[in-house]
């Protein structure tokens, strides 16, 4: 594209070469939520309450600017994002940088880890599983996301972007193959697999010294290697892959530090599981029913596992596959991205959204969205975590929040039933506005484009085939409007707002979990495709589109049953930070375990800091060799006496291959809440121990 004739002078050549570069800013920040006492969001399991920390959550921001326009993509180690989070991040950025960052040019995308604290999504149905809104989680994410963009903004350099793709097998499977088979045979015949196996990489290289400064990947896989029995905060498989890439490129740095930033972001993972051994009946060892994913009619016993022997091993295996493939791509030259930065954004009210589509037989059909509603199969959950809301298992009455609000569940009207058919409506969330909206009706649709790269920000979980159809439609539109033949649409999942799933019309007919959770009805996907085609065309022709209805801000109405953290206490004769269990001498392959008298880790998210350090003696000093952000360390917290407020932390450190022999010690850093309600810091230190 930017090649110039040999007759042109050197000066012109240089100026053309320079203008082909972008201004690039890359930033990372800690956005870890409260490490204890807050329920995780994803599996919506009340019992999955935070009990410590395995991997810190990070937000990673990538800014691309062509001198005229600027686009920002942020990927966050969290389940997803909602209007409220993005609105507050934009407010924060506005006070720093005026209107540089707006809803037009900023995508915030969740990685979809199911092992992260919830209660920040605001729409009632999405916060009920966490007993309502949790300000602490919301603030942790907003602050971390804002800081990552600030860090990127303050580090703009001239650079180039290289695009590479490859196939990564054995890292995902389709968890609803029966739904996938409902898609037309001719369409399925175009694809070798029933999930996307393509991994897409953007490599960011600084122009001044040709050094890579960052890397960003997309691969379609649920971040559900850690299952619903895990209570340690974790960024799961994709989060670990990011840490692995960053530690390769930032040798000698602790996780979350170092200039190089590596990320693995979410894509059309709706029906895609990392549990590659597939589902099995845990009671009988037999195969689950193919269509219903049940064992003798019970969803609870049909669970997917693998590739490892347990969830920790599986997380590491999937992460390592992603990382290794990313590294291979990174070593290639890649295709240099060039062309202008452009963006377009619209709010769309899905229940009133209409389109005319042409059916296979050539006839035209008018389609419209429905008010949000969840189908019965939503309650059955998935083989990655059965019984999402545990209705089937009858635990509805165990959740005081459900008790409090179930009487307000309005029955659907005739029109609503017809609109969602064949979905039987379990929760008519669109019919209730009490005490505030249950699910969003207004969604964001957004495209960011830099050169051939086209990011499609979608508000939820597109299934494999839904993603393929959307990408193809946008690609055709861009090319037919004079865009590059090399146009590369990338679907960025869980962007900006969460509206559950988006299955194809055909998949919807079977009403498995994904179809049952396609909240705007059977035509949801086609409405999105229609809208994204209009936006892509407008982007190419420089047309402005109606911005659409601004989503309602109900952040002042939020209710919660999550109580403030209790005060902490100690037993007679003890102090916070006292070491209750001293470490033993260890060797490679061992796990060192220490215990301390503690306060709740909930009092401070410790962004940019750590609840623990593993320190190695240098003779006259100590150096930190691991923190709570390391894969090799785990921080467990337990309230041992709820009357006196006593609690303890257990710190585990796996002594891995690379650990040098020497003298070590482990430090715990924490905070306790006094009887006066104030928060006080404390520290504890173990005895020295030997690693041989
Ligand atoms: C912020 O941006 C607006 C619109 O571009 C401009 O009118 C205003 O002067 C700017 N304010 C500051 C403080 O730069
Ligand atoms: C979670 O994984 C553990 C192994 O790490 C396994 O024992 C357990 O059955 C799994 N539970 C679910 C609900 O997937
Ligand atoms: C759109 O705007 C860009 C930049 O202002 C310009 O280069 C391009 O030719 C325009 N395209 C059309 C179709 O008008």
């Amino acid at each position: 594209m930017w090649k110039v004739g040999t007759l042109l002078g050197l000066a012109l050549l240089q100026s053309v070469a320079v203008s082909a570069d972008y201004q690039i800013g890359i930033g990372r920040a800690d956005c870890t939520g409260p490490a204890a006492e807050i329920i995780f969001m994803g599996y919506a399991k009340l019992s999955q309450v935070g009990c410590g920390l395995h991997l810190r959550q990070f937000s990673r921001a990538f800014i691309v600017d062509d001198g005229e326009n600027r686009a920002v993509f942020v990927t966050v180690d969290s389940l997803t994002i909602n209007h409220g989070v993005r609105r507050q991040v934009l407010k924060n950025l506005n006070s720093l940088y005026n209107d540089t960052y707006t809803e037009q040019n900023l995508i915030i995308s969740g990685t979809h880890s199911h092992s992260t604290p919830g209660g920040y999504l605001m729409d009632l149905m999405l916060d009920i599983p966490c007993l309502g809104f949790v300000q602490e989680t919301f603030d942790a994410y907003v602050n971390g996301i804002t800081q990552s963009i600030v860090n990127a903004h303050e580090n703009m350099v001239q650079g180039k972007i290289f695009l590479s793709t490859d196939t990564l097998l054995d890292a995902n499977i389709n968890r609803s193959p029966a739904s996938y088979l409902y898609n037309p045979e001719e369409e399925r015949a175009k694809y070798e697999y029933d999930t996307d196996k393509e991994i897409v990489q953007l490599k960011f290289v600084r122009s001044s010294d040709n050094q890579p400064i960052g890397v960003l990947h997309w691969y379609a896989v649920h971040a559900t290697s850690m299952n619903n029995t895990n209570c340690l905060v974790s960024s799961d498989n994709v989060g670990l892959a990011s840490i692995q890439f960053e530690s390769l490129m930032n040798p000698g740095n602790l996780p979350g530090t170092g200039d190089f930033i590596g990320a693995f972001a979410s894509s059309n993972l709706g029906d895609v599981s990392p549990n590659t051994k597939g589902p099995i009946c845990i009671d009988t060892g037999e195969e689950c029913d193919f269509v219903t994913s049940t064992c003798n009619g019970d969803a609870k016993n049909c669970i997917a596992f693998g590739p490892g022997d347990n969830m920790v091993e599986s997380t590491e295996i999937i992460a390592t596959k992603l990382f290794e493939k990313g590294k291979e791509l990174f070593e290639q030259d890649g295709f240099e991205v060039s062309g202008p930065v452009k963006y377009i954004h619209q709010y769309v009210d899905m229940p009133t959204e209409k389109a005319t589509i042409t059916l296979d037989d050539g006839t035209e059909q008018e389609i419209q969205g429905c008010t949000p509603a969840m189908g019965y199969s939503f309650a059955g959950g998935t083989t990655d975590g059965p019984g999402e809301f545990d209705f089937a298992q009858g635990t509805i009455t165990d959740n005081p929040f459900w008790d409090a609000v179930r009487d307000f569940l309005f029955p659907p009207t005739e029109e609503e039933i017809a609109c969602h058919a064949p979905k039987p409506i379990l929760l008519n969330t669109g019919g209730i506005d009490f005490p505030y909206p249950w699910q969003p009706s207004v969604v964001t649709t957004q495209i960011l484009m830099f050169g051939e790269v086209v990011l499609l920000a979608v508000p939820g979980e597109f299934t494999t085939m839904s993603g393929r159809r959307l990408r193809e439609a946008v690609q055709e539109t861009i090319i037919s409007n004079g865009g590059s033949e090399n146009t590369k649409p990338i679907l960025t999942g869980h962007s900006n707002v969460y509206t559950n799933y988006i299955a194809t019309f055909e998949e919807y007919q079977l009403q498995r979990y994904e179809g049952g959770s396609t909240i705007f009805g059977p035509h949801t996907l086609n409405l999105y495709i229609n809208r994204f085609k209009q936006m892509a065309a407008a982007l190419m022709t420089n047309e402005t589109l109606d911005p659409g209805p601004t989503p309602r801000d109900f952040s002042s109405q939020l209710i919660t049953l999550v109580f403030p953290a209790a005060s902490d206490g100690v037993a007679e004769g003890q102090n916070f930070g006292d070491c209750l269990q001293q470490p033993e001498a260890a060797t490679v392959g061992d796990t060192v375990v220490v215990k301390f008298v503690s306060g709740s880790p909930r009092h401070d998210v410790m962004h940019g800091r750590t609840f623990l350090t593993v320190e190695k003696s240098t003779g006259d000093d100590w150096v930190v060799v691991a923190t709570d952000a390391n894969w090799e360390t785990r921080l467990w917290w337990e309230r041992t006496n709820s009357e006196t407020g006593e609690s303890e932390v257990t710190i585990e450190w796996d002594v891995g291959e690379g650990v040098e022999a020497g003298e070590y010690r482990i430090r715990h850093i924490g905070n306790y809440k006094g009887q006066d309600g104030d928060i006080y810091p404390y520290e504890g230190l173990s005895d020295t121990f030997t690693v041989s």
Side-chain angles (χ1 to χ4, degrees):
M1 292 291 112
W2 297 93
K3 280 196 194 105
V4 270
T6 44
L7 291 179
L8 290 177
L10 187 63
L12 178 57
L13 233 175
Q14 269 175 347
S15 79
V16 170
V18 166
S19 72
D21 284 6
Y22 296 104
Q23 289 294 316
I24 294 172
I26 297 184
R28 179 206 314 106
D30 190 343
C31 67
T32 308
E37 301 185 78
I38 305 300
I39 300 170
F40 288 173
M41 185 51 188
Y43 298 111
K45 211 169 167 70
L46 264 186
S47 58
Q48 200 188 9
V49 183
C51 70
L53 183 67
H54 189 191
L55 293 176
R56 275 191 176 266
Q57 299 169 256
F58 293 102
S59 173
R60 296 174 172 94
F62 298 79
I63 301 176
V64 181
D65 190 319
D66 65 356
E68 214 168 300
N69 290 314
R70 174 170 291 208
V72 192
F73 177 78
V74 184
T75 168
V76 188
D77 290 325
S78 68
L79 184 81
T80 185
I81 298 297
N82 224 9
H83 291 314
V85 169
R86 194 166 73 132
R87 190 182 278 130
Q88 188 57 47
V89 167
L90 284 169
K91 267 190 204 159
N92 296 350
L93 293 172
N94 188 269
S95 69
L96 294 167
Y97 308 123
N98 200 5
D99 54 2
T100 310
Y101 303 104
T102 65
E103 54 205 7
Q104 298 285 318
N105 67 356
L106 169 68
I107 297 177
I108 310 180
S109 161
T111 59
H112 209 40
S113 167
H114 283 43
S115 287
T116 52
Y120 62 103
L121 295 172
M122 296 194 176
D123 293 285
L124 189 63
M125 199 199 78
L126 303 174
D127 282 348
I128 282 183
C130 304
L131 300 181
F133 182 71
V134 183
Q135 187 75 47
E136 298 153 77
T137 310
F138 180 84
D139 291 345
Y141 295 169
V142 165
N143 294 343
I145 294 166
T146 305
Q147 191 60 49
S148 69
I149 301 169
V150 168
N151 292 347
H153 180 102
E154 302 299 338
N155 278 300
M156 300 292 291
V157 296
Q158 199 168 327
K160 299 179 193 298
I161 304 170
F162 297 90
L163 168 73
S164 308
T165 63
D166 200 353
T167 300
L168 173 58
L169 302 176
D170 308 324
N172 67 15
I173 60 164
N174 194 308
R175 69 181 192 191
S176 280
S179 299
Y180 182 86
L181 288 175
Y182 267 53
N183 293 309
E185 202 176 340
E186 320 81 74
E187 184 182 35
R188 283 184 283 117
K190 291 196 289 182
Y191 304 97
E192 196 174 348
Y193 302 102
D194 63 1
T195 59
D196 283 338
K197 304 290 184 187
E198 186 183 62
I199 179 167
V200 181
Q201 180 184 79
L202 297 180
K203 176 166 61 176
F204 299 84
V205 176
R206 186 164 50 211
S207 304
S208 60
D209 56 2
N210 273 323
Q211 283 307 303
I213 53 173
V215 69
L216 173 55
H217 306 84
W218 287 269
Y219 185 74
V221 68
H222 254 80
T224 50
S225 288
M226 295 303 288
N227 70 32
N228 63 19
T229 64
N230 169 48
C231 63
L232 297 181
V233 171
S234 172
S235 52
D236 209 290
N237 47 31
V238 285
L240 178 58
S242 304
I243 290 172
Q244 289 175 332
F245 217 120
E246 290 179 349
S247 31
L248 171 78
M249 298 302 293
N250 296 316
N253 280 271
L254 294 162
T257 68
D259 290 339
F260 184 91
I261 294 173
F264 288 81
S266 70
S267 194
N268 52 323
L269 53 68
D271 52 356
V272 188
S273 166
N275 298 313
T276 53
K277 279 186 193 162
I280 194 159
C281 292
I282 52 168
D283 49 348
T284 59
E286 314 236 313
E287 284 196 12
C288 309
D289 181 76
F290 185 65
V291 172
T292 60
S293 291
T294 51
C295 305
N296 293 320
D298 191 347
K300 182 171 68 217
N301 289 332
C302 174
I303 300 181
F305 293 93
D309 287 340
N310 58 56
M311 59 181 166
V312 175
E313 203 177 288
S314 296
T315 304
E316 192 168 18
I317 293 171
I318 298 294
T320 306
K321 282 178 191 287
L322 289 166
F323 160 63
E324 292 288 348
K325 186 55 82 174
K327 201 169 75 171
E328 259 177 54
L329 285 173
F330 196 74
E331 282 153 12
Q332 299 170 10
D333 289 339
F335 169 86
E336 184 174 350
V337 175
S338 66
V341 174
K342 293 179 161 203
Y343 46 79
I344 193 161
H345 176 279
Q346 279 190 300
Y347 286 119
V348 180
D349 181 54
M350 286 302 283
T352 56
E353 176 75 350
K354 292 190 178 76
T356 306
I357 57 167
T358 309
L359 301 177
D360 283 346
D361 63 7
T363 57
E364 294 204 324
Q365 189 193 357
E366 300 293 324
I367 58 168
Q368 187 176 338
C370 311
T371 52
M374 305 297 288
Y376 268 85
S377 53
F378 155 73
T382 74
T383 51
D384 289 339
E388 190 103 354
F389 273 77
D390 275 357
F391 274 73
Q393 285 92 56
T395 53
I396 174 171
T397 49
D398 288 340
N399 182 326
F401 214 135
W402 279 119
D403 287 354
V405 292
R406 71 184 155 190
D407 298 339
F408 294 96
L409 295 181
F410 292 149
T413 62
E414 289 294 320
E415 292 78 50
E416 283 163 347
I417 291 169
C419 189
H420 283 277
K423 178 204 288 171
I425 296 175
L426 173 68
L427 292 176
N428 184 31
T429 53
I432 338 165
D433 201 31
F434 179 88
Y436 48 85
W438 281 52
Q439 282 189 305
S441 289
V442 174
V443 303
T444 61
T445 51
Q446 185 179 17
I447 304 178
L448 297 186
M449 185 171 179
F450 35 99
E452 295 83 358
V453 174
V454 182
L455 304 185
L456 309 175
V458 298
E461 318 194 29
F462 272 54
T463 62
T464 301
M465 202 59 105
S466 292
R468 288 169 177 169
R469 288 188 195 169
L470 179 68
R471 287 195 304 251
E472 202 168 291
V474 168
Q475 188 172 38
E476 271 171 25
T477 307
I478 290 178
I479 294 174
S480 65
N481 279 281
S484 163
E485 290 290 328
N486 293 319
T487 294
K488 180 71 188 169
I490 299 168
L491 190 137
T492 74
H494 301 91
S495 290
N496 304 334
V497 60
Y498 186 63
T499 60
N500 297 70
Y501 285 75
I502 297 90
T504 67
F505 177 81
E506 295 84 353
E507 291 162 355
Y508 187 91
Q509 305 309 309
L510 186 60
Q511 282 295 303
R512 277 179 59 88
Y513 180 80
E514 295 80 12
S517 307
T518 296
I519 70 173
F520 301 118
H523 302 296
T524 305
L525 173 63
N526 284 329
L527 293 169
Y528 281 128
I529 290 177
N530 182 62
R531 185 58 77 159
F532 272 91
K533 278 163 74 174
Q534 286 175 19
M535 291 202 302
L539 203 58
M540 297 307 290
T541 55
N542 300 333
E543 201 188 321
T544 7
L545 296 179
D546 175 35
T550 304
R552 213 170 110 192
D553 183 354
F554 48 90
S555 53
S556 60
Q557 290 166 262
L558 304 173
I559 52 176
T560 188
L561 294 180
V562 178
F563 298 109
S567 55
D568 297 295
V570 290
E572 264 311 297
Q574 286 186 342
N575 289 305
F576 291 103
D578 282 357
C579 190
L580 296 170
Q581 180 182 329
Q582 292 290 353
E584 287 172 16
T587 178
V588 171
D590 288 348
T591 298
V592 177
V593 183
V594 291
K595 276 186 208 276
F596 293 93
V597 175
S598 78
S600 169
R602 180 181 166 189
H603 303 312
D604 187 341
V605 288
M606 306 273 268
H607 284 180
R609 292 179 291 147
T610 175
F611 288 109
L612 69 93
T613 52
V614 178
E615 304 175 7
K616 180 176 187 294
S617 169
T618 58
D620 45 3
D621 206 357
W622 294 86
V623 287
V624 175
V625 297
T627 67
D628 63 13
N630 279 76
W631 175 250
E632 298 77 23
T633 63
R634 290 170 297 279
L635 175 100
W636 301 87
W637 175 77
E638 193 187 356
R639 178 79 74 196
T640 49
N641 186 329
S642 52
E643 266 164 47
T644 58
E646 284 167 59
S647 67
E648 58 189 47
V649 296
T650 304
I651 294 170
E652 295 175 345
W653 177 47
D654 297 334
V655 183
E657 290 293 339
V659 173
E660 292 169 19
E663 297 296 301
Y664 287 80
R665 65 185 188 188
I666 291 176
R667 187 188 299 272
H668 165 50
I669 302 128
N671 300 275
Y672 69 89
K673 191 177 200 172
Q675 295 304 323
D676 57 4
D678 286 346
I679 308 291
Y680 300 92
Y682 68 85
E683 278 192 24
L685 196 57
S686 78
D687 291 346
T688 300
F689 61 98
T690 308
V691 172
S692 53

